Amino acid sequence: MTLNRTAVALAIAGIFCTACTSTSAPKIGSTENADNFDVVGTSNPFASEAVYFVVTDRFVDGDPNNNHESQGGEHPTWQLPLEGPDGKKAYVGYMGGDLQGILNNADYIKDMGFTAVWMTPVHDNPDYAFNGDEPITYGGAFKDGGKTGYHGYWATNFYKADEHLVSDNLSVSDYTAKMREHGLKSVFDIIANHGTPSFTMEKDLPGYGEIYDKDGNLVADHQNLAPEDLDPKNNPLHSFFHNYPDLVKLSNLDDENPAVRDYLINSYLYWISQGADAFRIDTIRHVPHTFWREASDRIREQYPNFFMFGEAFDYEANNIAQHTLPKNGGVSVLDFPMQKAMVRVFEKPLESNFADLEKVLHLTHGPYHNVYELTTFYDNHDMARMNATDEGFINAHNWLFTVRGIPVVYMGSEIGFMRGTAEHAGNRNYVGQERLDQAKDNTIQQALTKIANVRKKTVSLQRGVQVNIELNGHRAAFYRVIDNEDAQETALVLLNKGNSLESFDISEFMQSGKWVEQLTGQTLTVASSASLKTTVKPNGVQVWVRQGEVDNPDLLEQIKYQLARQ
């Protein structure tokens, strides 16, 4: 938490407790504002990022030489379409996307306003389509029969890159270094709870149920046995696994085994050495907090403040917030409660109310260690893509890039690609270079580029405290405020998701001085005790920025109140 609850309470009482602050916390008493305290949501550097999420195989084929179209023999891995109604298709085989394809589009991603790319795991996956479980069908779920590991989550070797992703002249470390040259960080996807699908196979296929070490030695093998038939006490190849199932037919890794913990945590450290700037943790809630505390301690011992965020597919804030606590590893999480609310509001913006989003912000009395470090999103590869109009996506982005948290956008959503479809109904279909080349003509992408680049240059939108003025109907108005030794800036955000003009007259917590609207460059000078008056167009956003320390005592008191109760 940026301001430890005890520290803030003592600070408000005029007492400063050095023992109460965390490593990411600003110290009370270091700035020149009237009440002499730091105003900042978080000092974590990663909070300044905006993340573009890519399912690497489904993005762009930058190197056809690594497609391996004939791989798999009787169990081929290329494309594998699932036939749906009216000629619709989804695919469970490889489609050719690779690291070169991402690199080729680094400037496209950067120019939109993103500063980091999260990609699905680079781990080596089996070279065959899975021949166990029930066959997956168009629109189906929770079945793995006939699928491949194109997504990267079926690791056979947690230290080796998959041959479909790297190229002869582009290793993983080459990729991360070249992305940095374009101003883009790399977020790696890591796993701890499972390996590949590992049992119910008609015939035991190479790779499935197997785990290899960094030197290529076999260290674990499920041997196509049901979990309850494993003998981890007597068979060394079974010792990596629990003898009970977890997710579908995936092997259930034994996180209590020290050898497994070392294997996994050392693999995370290896990928940092290859250029990972942050981690997204898959299925974090399927592994106990003790594992993540050990992993985060070991990682941050070598790489202080290394940022990690986990996926706990749970819409209850109190549940997912447990991962953010220092005693549990201090790992941020994807903001699923916000995601659910965003879909409800922006799929039908003319029928919804901004008030539905206020409760998920948790600006006070929230369960999270630091709400400003949550990663925020409205759809991804594991759920149906948001089924909104162009205006719905535009309004969602206007919200996502101005409210608290670190915005994440799934590839293709910037053009409304396959909107409304689930994983096996098109949500993970191949995007391709042609669509990206045409994206700049798309109204969603154009609007996203504008607001994302405003956030990119506005530090208060990245790390500032959020103070709400109005969230009601089609209207939203709130401040984002930072006032510390690094920056003194206030942003006033005005949103209109309706289809008619909205007039705003903002007097509450208003500060006098020069305000500059960031999308148009318009300037207003507000006199003392006056208000800022403006009109926001339909489906529009304005971001008014005032430079300088906070001088409104009522605003400072409100910020004190919020931070003390965050």
Side-chain angles (χ1 to χ4, degrees), residues 424-499:
H424 296 114
N427 187 28
R428 297 190 188 180
N429 280 7
Y430 181 71
V431 176
Q433 191 63 56
E434 183 177 355
R435 287 190 179 90
L436 298 186
D437 290 343
Q438 298 171 353
K440 291 185 178 180
D441 296 326
N442 185 283
T443 56
I444 302 173
Q445 200 264 10
Q446 291 170 352
L448 166 63
T449 297
K450 291 178 182 177
I451 193 60
N453 276 288
V454 167
R455 184 185 188 275
K456 190 175 185 177
K457 67 180 183 180
T458 308
V459 66
S460 54
L461 294 184
Q462 301 164 11
R463 298 188 287 109
V465 176
Q466 179 167 340
V467 177
N468 291 335
I469 303 300
E470 176 186 8
L471 290 173
N472 186 45
H474 298 325
R475 299 160 55 91
F478 52 87
Y479 292 104
R480 298 293 306 278
V481 186
I482 186 168
D483 187 347
N484 62 9
E485 62 184 8
D486 298 321
Q488 295 81 41
E489 181 178 276
T490 302
L492 171 63
V493 177
L494 305 175
L495 299 169
N496 174 15
K497 65 179 181 63
N499 59 3

Side-chain angles (χ1 to χ4, degrees), residues 313-334:
F313 206 128
D314 188 330
Y315 293 115
E316 176 51 57
N318 288 316
N319 294 338
I320 66 175
Q322 299 306 306
H323 302 286
T324 71
L325 305 180
K327 67 179 182 180
N328 295 331
V331 175
S332 185
V333 288
L334 286 156

Side-chain angles (χ1 to χ4, degrees), residues 72 115 156 242 261 311 435 468:
T115 59
T156 59
H242 286 299
R261 295 166 89 103
E311 175 231 11
R435 287 190 179 90
N468 291 335

Side-chain angles (χ1 to χ4, degrees), residues 525-539:
T525 299
V526 178
S528 180
S529 301
S531 62
L532 188 150
K533 299 178 181 180
T534 186
T535 302
V536 180
K537 66 181 181 180
N539 306 299

Side-chain angles (χ1 to χ4, degrees), residues 359-400:
K359 65 189 73 172
V360 297
L361 288 170
H362 291 287
L363 300 180
T364 64
H365 302 88
Y368 302 101
H369 185 60
N370 190 325
V371 73
Y372 293 93
E373 295 173 7
L374 299 182
T375 44
T376 52
F377 70 111
Y378 56 82
D379 64 22
N380 66 20
H381 61 320
D382 286 331
M383 58 180 59
R385 203 182 290 264
M386 189 166 68
N387 192 19
T389 62
D390 287 5
E391 290 76 19
F393 277 99
I394 290 169
N395 284 307
H397 293 146
N398 289 342
W399 171 265
L400 190 69

Side-chain angles (χ1 to χ4, degrees), residues 488-564:
Q488 295 81 41
E489 181 178 276
T490 302
L492 171 63
V493 177
L494 305 175
L495 299 169
N496 174 15
K497 65 179 181 63
N499 59 3
S500 59
L501 290 170
E502 287 283 352
S503 296
F504 288 84
D505 185 349
I506 306 298
S507 59
E508 188 174 10
F509 303 137
M510 179 51 59
Q511 300 174 80
S512 62
K514 178 182 176 182
W515 293 80
V516 180
E517 206 287 302
Q518 300 300 295
L519 288 99
T520 62
Q522 181 184 356
T523 299
L524 288 176
T525 299
V526 178
S528 180
S529 301
S531 62
L532 188 150
K533 299 178 181 180
T534 186
T535 302
V536 180
K537 66 181 181 180
N539 306 299
V541 57
Q542 292 182 6
V543 180
W544 293 88
V545 171
R546 172 190 180 273
Q547 300 296 336
E549 61 188 56
V550 180
D551 64 8
N552 185 314
D554 292 335
L555 178 57
L556 286 172
E557 285 301 315
Q558 177 63 27
I559 292 170
K560 273 186 180 182
Y561 174 87
Q562 290 188 193
L563 291 178

